[in-house]
Amino acid sequence: MAVARRLRFVYALTAWLLATVLLLTLFDALVPELLYSFSLVGLFVVIELTAPFNVTPRWRKRLRGLIIAGLLGLGFIILRRTLQALPEALE
């Protein structure tokens, strides 16, 4: 039963990532920052939609490190984009 839930999580995340790549390619907007951001949002959505009600399995607790790393990466992207736009705003 636990393996089925784990596989459901992996399949849902894979479907989200493939849909993201397909849509970004379709709109000719496939850039690493957008792909990373939408993938992180997808990770959050899939985590919430596949969360069990009563007990949190051990493998889901290990996702916390992945979430923290993802948020740090997103913060880096936001900081870099802000610093790129800042000199233009000051001129």
Side-chain angles (χ1 to χ4, degrees):
M1 186 71 163
V3 173
R5 290 184 184 187
R6 204 176 313 177
L7 283 176
R8 188 177 338 153
F9 176 82
V10 170
Y11 292 152
L13 188 59
T14 303
W16 180 280
L17 294 175
L18 288 175
T20 299
V21 169
L22 180 70
L23 286 174
L24 288 176
T25 303
L26 186 68
F27 290 118
D28 198 29
L30 189 59
V31 293
E33 289 90 3
L34 282 177
L35 181 62
Y36 186 84
S37 300
F38 287 142
S39 298
L40 189 61
V41 168
L43 176 67
F44 292 149
V45 168
V46 171
I47 285 173
E48 286 302 316
L49 289 179
T50 61
F53 292 112
N54 300 331
V55 180
T56 303
R58 270 190 298 149
W59 67 270
R60 290 187 69 89
K61 291 179 184 177
R62 290 190 294 252
L63 290 175
R64 192 171 301 142
L66 182 63
I67 291 170
I68 291 170
L71 288 174
L72 287 173
L74 185 64
F76 176 74
I77 289 172
I78 291 171
L79 179 67
R80 194 179 73 193
R81 297 281 271 193
T82 303
L83 291 176
Q84 284 176 352
L86 193 60
E88 295 173 6
L90 294 177
E91 292 179 5

